[in-house]
Amino acid sequence: MGRIFYIMGKSSSGKDTIYRKLLGEGEFAFRTLIPYTTRPVRSGEKDGVDYFFTDQEGLEGIRREGKLVELRSYHTVLGIWHYFTVDDGQVDLAKWNYLLVGTLESYRAMQRYFGEEALVPILVELEDGMRLQRALDREKAQDAPKYAEMCRRFLADEADFSEEHIREAKIAQRFENRVLVDCLEQIRAYIRRRM
């Protein structure tokens, strides 16, 4: 049976960089799952690669079809943004291992949908000051920086990744991303043990 290796962490912890590096190396031959969102496309993102971008009407159609695996909604300064996973044929655990990136909330929903035994958590952590600086640097590089939204995400992460929520998700292993190459090597070794 295949497994879903699920990378998660607070915003700007480096989870997306780790995700891209693990996929790019090719050691594990992971399949990916492209999530859906109703938020605007960011600079450099491509529809069908980073996300499937849709609108509220598209989300409601998926819900009516009974294909919604999990849904997260965020009240942002720019309106409500939805992020979600759809049972659209992308996952075949009889054949493949997957590498996904998301939130603790989405990880828990995936656990409920696919079963705890199918999910392997990879929780990436980084000291708050370093995360905030990375978030600021990333936002400055956008064509239209959204600093208020960056701050909202930063503060929301404190509640979303509380110690209580981490315990409830039964996550014991954590990976400190202070030095990327060291963090990646620890994660690779962990994946090898869990495959």
Side-chain angles (χ1 to χ4, degrees), residues 70-145:
E70 60 90 21
L71 169 68
R72 290 153 283 120
S73 301
Y74 300 98
H75 295 270
T76 76
V77 296
L78 301 170
I80 298 174
W81 291 351
H82 303 286
Y83 294 83
F84 49 103
T85 304
V86 176
D87 187 358
D88 59 0
Q90 293 184 70
V91 176
D92 184 351
L93 289 172
K95 295 181 180 178
W96 309 107
N97 288 306
Y98 294 83
L99 185 66
L100 305 182
V101 63
T103 66
L104 181 58
E105 180 184 354
S106 62
Y107 169 78
R108 301 278 318 271
M110 298 287 275
Q111 271 185 318
R112 289 188 292 275
Y113 191 85
F114 292 107
E116 285 187 23
E117 67 285 348
L119 274 286
V120 179
I122 300 172
L123 179 58
V124 177
E125 296 184 322
L126 182 64
E127 186 271 326
D128 283 346
M130 291 179 75
R131 283 193 318 106
L132 188 55
Q133 186 61 57
R134 286 182 182 180
L136 184 58
D137 293 344
R138 181 176 70 187
E139 205 57 42
K140 279 182 180 178
Q142 297 295 313
D143 292 337

Side-chain angles (χ1 to χ4, degrees), residues 9-193:
K10 295 177 180 178
S11 60
S12 299
S13 62
K15 62 188 177 293
D16 293 313
T17 299
I18 290 168
Y19 172 79
R20 285 190 299 272
K21 289 203 176 281
L22 289 172
L23 284 178
E25 295 168 352
E27 175 182 349
F28 302 108
F30 284 125
R31 293 287 177 122
T32 61
L33 176 65
I34 301 168
Y36 290 67
T37 186
T38 61
R39 77 153 165 77
V41 179
R42 290 182 184 150
S43 177
E45 291 181 328
K46 292 185 178 12
D47 187 35
V49 176
D50 301 288
Y51 290 94
F52 288 116
F53 292 95
T54 188
D55 56 15
Q56 188 66 36
E57 185 178 316
L59 168 59
E60 293 309 320
I62 290 165
R63 190 190 314 263
R64 281 191 301 274
E65 293 172 11
K67 294 184 175 185
L68 194 62
V69 174
E70 60 90 21
L71 169 68
R72 290 153 283 120
S73 301
Y74 300 98
H75 295 270
T76 76
V77 296
L78 301 170
I80 298 174
W81 291 351
H82 303 286
Y83 294 83
F84 49 103
T85 304
V86 176
D87 187 358
D88 59 0
Q90 293 184 70
V91 176
D92 184 351
L93 289 172
K95 295 181 180 178
W96 309 107
N97 288 306
Y98 294 83
L99 185 66
L100 305 182
V101 63
T103 66
L104 181 58
E105 180 184 354
S106 62
Y107 169 78
R108 301 278 318 271
M110 298 287 275
Q111 271 185 318
R112 289 188 292 275
Y113 191 85
F114 292 107
E116 285 187 23
E117 67 285 348
L119 274 286
V120 179
I122 300 172
L123 179 58
V124 177
E125 296 184 322
L126 182 64
E127 186 271 326
D128 283 346
M130 291 179 75
R131 283 193 318 106
L132 188 55
Q133 186 61 57
R134 286 182 182 180
L136 184 58
D137 293 344
R138 181 176 70 187
E139 205 57 42
K140 279 182 180 178
Q142 297 295 313
D143 292 337
K146 297 173 178 69
Y147 297 114
E149 175 56 21
M150 178 199 78
C151 292
R152 184 209 61 81
R153 282 194 317 264
F154 188 85
L155 294 173
D157 281 340
E158 291 305 306
D160 295 344
F161 284 90
S162 70
E163 289 301 317
E164 179 183 351
H165 290 157
I166 292 168
R167 275 192 308 277
E168 287 170 356
K170 301 176 184 172
I171 297 173
Q173 180 77 44
R174 301 173 191 215
F175 301 92
E176 179 69 27
N177 190 21
R178 184 169 287 282
V179 178
L180 179 61
V181 293
D182 295 341
C183 183
L184 272 167
E185 188 48 47
Q186 292 169 10
I187 290 172
R188 283 188 209 100
Y190 174 73
I191 292 170
R192 289 180 199 114
R193 289 192 306 269

